[in-house]
């Protein structure tokens, strides 16, 4: 992939400030009207239909095998092929979509405006695991309960995670029905039942698993990065009042399982390569990771420098034609563990990972106000409401509120690799 | 289904003390040698191949639709059809396998000795949820940490559960590789890494979800029982030392996800109907369930009277030709919540359940020694080792130990409905 520093596409929109320049080429599953789901690649404001391009005869060898593996409307089989197939497809797409391409006229027949397409969850998610690797988030939450000792003793040794619900993962744009459940009102000893009153979002990175492992066979840390197919954004919607009452002793359950929203494009490991960075140095006194989590190459280049943003658009802002209000600007460097460490830890007990499994990173807050990835942190559990520019205030989310997550990393100094949006609007409980 | 009290089968073994009399007819997915997976029904010591019977032309109408839905080697589509299809198939099988059947000669061509068949996990499990509804177990575990106040304040209001790992659910007979992981040795402040030293089993009921619900649409308690396709046995293998170190604050994770064993036969809701009983009366002072969990019919007949048994066969017992030693005899009446209450609770926040989802009940211990469903309870966390008849002792499981779960309910006074075995043998860490 020895592309010139700023390779350009004949899809002109891709050469502007799009999330999807030629350097990105994220894969997704889309459909148009009542047509079947199929694999596409985002380029500027358009989607290239890979099945149509296949039918035109433009793919051969490993790139062709890669596209064939996307048939059926999920990327699981494609993920299972691993890196070589992704790279072959990417290289061919760079040729086909680059401004030197001789096939523009034909390919335009396989290019649709993204606004005319519907995007879907890109894989059948066998298992979804949510981690807790945003150390500033863990500290902020811990402070609400234990001001003097916010991090539990295991935090700096164990990449804390738990199993999440796969059946309610939905693509960006899906409405978020306010959940009902049991909560314990302040000062009461018996619970009430009703709509969640402390509905929150969580800013997370989503991690798509590529090749898996057999049960009983741990993935060594040195190989772990090879098992990541790509990334997305993830909003781990959370019902804080339901969570507080239900989570002891086995962890969050219905407070999280009503819906989880993801951005539908898989930003591949290859597109993200320029955004890799060293794992930030650990503060003095922090323990060395145990050896099964330690790899020099991973420490040198296993983290990501990706800017993350949370925006809120209320019903009133929408009516007033106002712009969404930024609630937070954060960065993936706040991850205490790398994605490779998550893979190594998850499988060290012999747990089988499968192509199309999804990990959430946990909320990625920064260390300072303005970078907190949930309202629970921003408002300190509702004690200090956020004031919005139009005079509205929020402790937690209200019906009609829309949360928009965005992410971008700067690659080669000028081109930025974006993730597309992860959006969801809260609708009233039924 | 107005069968005579003790209907008999022409498969003579089914008329003895088999787990699988004519009244049971559990469904499973089996294969022989390298042949494709397909649906079978257990009858005595044999398996009837439903695809072969279909090819013989013995199914029509809804029963035929039911068998067609099992094609492809999973029961998901069959589960999605719901009760009417299960009943139609059952009624036809009662005719075909009953001693009045005129088709014995032909059907024998579709009947294989079970010993020549391999059984598989019967559905593609979209999500696996493990509950904690064995109140005696919760009390026994709670006592180890809080002798004066073993049950947490939410226990009698919330059917406590958490998401489990679907990818490592395996059928009876699969070896259990001892997991490795982080543990905090007693008296230390830093964790060690190595093979689990406190490996345990948990005696649970498995619950197969039939028809599902749409996201955002709770299943009312009055309808919830209709969403249960059937039951199995489930061993929630647990690494107690890994669990103790990892589980705060988000619950058990790698301590459970290395493997979960199930008995491969789905004992249908219809076969279990004679084993239904009233929900045991709650002790005075216990709260009334909240209204979304309360249904008169469910309270009157939503529980099960099924005897549960745990046996241990050690390597030395095997060498000596000894019989397995019974560790516990328990009963499903120790469930504090009915299976319908689990369905209603799980979906009350709008969480989508799908055909082929699996629930675990949580460990079903009785109130007295001899009925405890885990070694953690039997040995009080390893303090009081179990003495086995051959002189061996156990605090926790050793390599070579095999755990066997069994279940049976007495139906019509004489015939018993069994579940088949849920077996797993511990093998050394690798």
């Amino acid at each position: 992939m020895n592309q010139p520093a700023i390779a350009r596409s004949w899809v002109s929109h891709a050469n502007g400030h799009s999330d999807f320049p030629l350097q990105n080429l994220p894969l997704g599953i889309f459909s148009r009207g009542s047509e079947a789901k199929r694999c596409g690649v985002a380029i500027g404001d358009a989607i290239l239909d890979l099945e149509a391009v296949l039918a035109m005869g433009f793919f051969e060898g490993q790139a062709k095998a890669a596209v064939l593996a996307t048939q059926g409307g999920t990327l699981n089989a494609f993920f299972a092929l691993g890196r070589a197939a992704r790279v072959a497809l990417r290289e061919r797409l760079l040729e086909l979509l680059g401004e030197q391409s001789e096939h523009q006229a034909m390919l335009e027949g396989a290019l649709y405006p993204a606004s005319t397409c519907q995007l879907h969850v890109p894989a059948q998610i066998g298992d979804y695991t949510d981690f807790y690797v945003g150390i500033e988030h863990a500290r902020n939450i811990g402070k609400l309960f234990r001001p003097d000792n916010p991090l539990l003793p295991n935090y700096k040794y164990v990449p804390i995670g738990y199993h999440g619900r796969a059946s309610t993962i939905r693509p960006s744009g899906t409405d978020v029905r306010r959940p009902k459940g049991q909560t314990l009102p302040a000062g009461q000893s018996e619970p009430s039942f009703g709509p969640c009153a402390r509905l929150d979002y969580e800013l997370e990175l989503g991690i798509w698993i590529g090749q898996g492992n057999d049960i009983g066979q741990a993935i060594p840390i040195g190989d772990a990065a090879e098992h990541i197919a790509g990334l997305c954004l993830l909003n781990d919607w959370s019902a804080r009042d339901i969570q507080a009452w239900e989570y002891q002793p086995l962890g969050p359950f219905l407070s999280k399982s009503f819906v989880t929203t993801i951005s539908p494009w898989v930003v591949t490991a290859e597109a993200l390569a320029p955004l890799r960075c060293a794992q930030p140095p650990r503060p003095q006194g922090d323990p060395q990771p145990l050896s099964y989590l330690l790899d020099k190459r991973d420490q040198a280049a296993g983290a990501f420098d990706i800017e993350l943003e949370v925006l809120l658009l209320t019903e009133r802002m929408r009516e007033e034609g106002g712009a969404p209000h930024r609630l937070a600007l954060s960065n993936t460097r706040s991850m205490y563990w790398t994605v490779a460490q998550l893979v190594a830890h998850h499988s060290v007990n012999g747990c089988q990972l499968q192509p199309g499994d999804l990990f959430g990173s946990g909320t990625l807050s920064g260390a300072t106000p303005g970078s907190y990835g949930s309202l629970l942190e921003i408002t300190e559990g509702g004690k200090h409401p956020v004031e919005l520019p139009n005079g509205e205030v929020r402790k937690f989310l209200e019906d009609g509120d829309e949360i928009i997550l965005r992410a971008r990393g700067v690659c080669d100094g000028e081109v930025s690799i974006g993730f597309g949006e992860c959006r969801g609007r809260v609708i009233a409980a039924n």
Side-chain angles (χ1 to χ4, degrees), chain A:
Chain A
M1 282 187 292
N2 292 314
Q3 296 300 313
I6 310 180
R8 294 167 62 87
S9 173
W10 53 263
V11 180
S12 59
H13 186 273
N15 304 320
H17 292 284
S18 168
D19 272 356
F20 307 125
L22 184 63
Q23 289 75 4
N24 194 341
L25 301 176
L27 300 168
I29 296 292
F30 77 102
S31 62
R32 300 181 81 217
S34 59
E35 292 170 14
K37 293 182 191 179
R38 54 201 189 276
C39 181
V41 60
I43 180 78
D45 56 358
I47 295 176
L48 185 71
D49 178 341
L50 293 193
E51 289 204 20
V53 179
L54 178 70
M56 292 172 184
F58 282 123
F59 294 117
E60 289 178 359
Q62 282 203 85
K64 183 175 178 179
V67 177
L68 287 171
T70 69
Q71 292 185 327
T74 75
L75 296 181
N76 298 71
F78 167 73
F79 288 161
L81 294 176
R83 202 173 74 88
R86 284 198 314 270
V87 168
L89 178 58
R90 177 177 174 83
E91 292 189 342
R92 183 60 177 143
L93 289 171
L94 286 168
E95 290 168 2
L96 292 173
L97 290 169
E99 61 183 352
Q100 313 296 326
S101 173
E102 294 161 6
H103 306 295
Q104 177 178 349
M106 265 192 89
L107 290 169
E108 276 174 347
L111 198 70
Y112 313 120
S115 59
T116 66
C117 300
Q118 191 176 356
L119 273 294
H120 304 279
V121 171
Q124 183 169 346
I125 300 167
D127 279 288
Y128 160 50
T129 299
D130 199 19
F131 284 93
Y132 194 56
V133 311
I135 189 168
E136 303 300 341
H137 171 74
R139 213 188 310 265
N140 290 337
I141 301 301
K143 270 181 201 160
L144 298 177
F145 301 98
R146 299 171 303 275
D148 298 330
N149 191 22
L151 291 179
L152 291 168
N154 58 9
Y155 191 84
K156 292 181 175 175
Y157 295 97
V158 180
I160 296 290
Y162 69 109
H163 308 295
R165 182 80 191 176
S167 72
T168 47
I169 295 173
R170 291 292 182 277
S172 179
T174 307
D175 284 343
V176 174
R177 173 82 61 194
R178 182 180 296 274
K180 290 184 188 170
Q182 290 191 34
T183 59
L184 189 68
Q188 302 290 307
S189 62
E190 295 196 359
S192 299
F193 178 79
C196 165
R198 291 162 69 95
L199 185 60
D200 202 356
Y201 61 87
E202 291 193 334
L203 167 65
E204 302 197 15
L205 200 64
I207 299 144
W208 289 105
I209 298 299
Q211 290 176 308
N213 61 305
D214 289 336
I215 191 170
Q217 301 296 324
I219 297 172
I221 179 69
D223 300 343
E226 283 292 301
H227 292 261
I228 308 291
L231 302 179
C232 65
L233 282 163
L234 185 150
N235 186 339
D236 179 26
W237 302 92
S238 299
R240 301 299 182 191
D241 42 0
I242 297 173
Q243 187 176 353
W245 174 235
E246 75 169 359
Y247 91 105
Q248 291 284 15
L250 300 180
F253 181 46
L254 300 190
S255 53
K256 302 278 195 172
S257 65
F258 52 100
V259 73
T260 303
T261 310
I262 59 172
S263 59
W265 293 107
V266 180
V267 182
T268 64
E270 291 68 42
L272 295 165
L275 311 180
R276 289 282 190 170
C277 63
Q279 207 174 358
R282 303 208 155 179
Q284 200 154 18
D286 277 17
Q288 175 96 327
L290 294 184
S291 62
Y292 79 93
L293 296 172
L294 199 56
D295 177 72
K296 278 191 180 170
R297 203 173 41 162
D298 186 49
Q299 290 196 296
F304 291 104
D305 183 2
I306 300 170
E307 195 177 81
L308 304 167
E309 191 179 14
V310 185
L311 301 133
L312 168 64
L313 184 67
T314 69
E315 191 72 54
R316 218 176 91 192
M317 289 176 188
R318 236 183 333 263
E319 285 165 8
E320 294 166 353
H325 172 69
R326 180 192 279 172
L327 288 172
L329 193 64
S330 177
N331 192 291
T332 51
R333 284 174 304 181
S334 67
M335 292 173 69
Y336 195 74
W337 304 97
T338 66
V339 293
Q341 286 173 321
L342 301 187
V343 166
H345 180 65
H346 203 317
S347 66
V348 76
N349 68 341
C351 181
Q352 182 177 30
L353 305 183
Q354 298 184 108
D357 283 351
L358 182 68
F359 293 176
S361 60
T363 309
L364 297 182
S365 300
T368 52
S371 69
Y372 295 165
S374 69
L375 282 173
L376 185 63
E377 294 166 84
I378 294 173
T379 69
E380 288 183 45
K383 286 202 294 279
H384 305 293
V386 192
E387 290 189 34
L388 305 178
N390 68 354
E392 292 183 277
V393 293
R394 286 293 181 277
K395 291 179 179 176
F396 289 98
L397 295 173
E398 299 190 2
D399 293 347
D401 286 354
E402 185 166 18
I403 289 291
I404 305 157
L405 310 184
R406 291 184 187 146
R408 61 191 283 279
V410 175
C411 133
D412 301 327
E414 299 200 24
V415 174
S416 73
I417 301 289
F419 279 54
E421 287 183 341
C422 177
R423 259 179 197 262
R425 191 170 57 97
V426 177
I427 59 175
N430 61 6

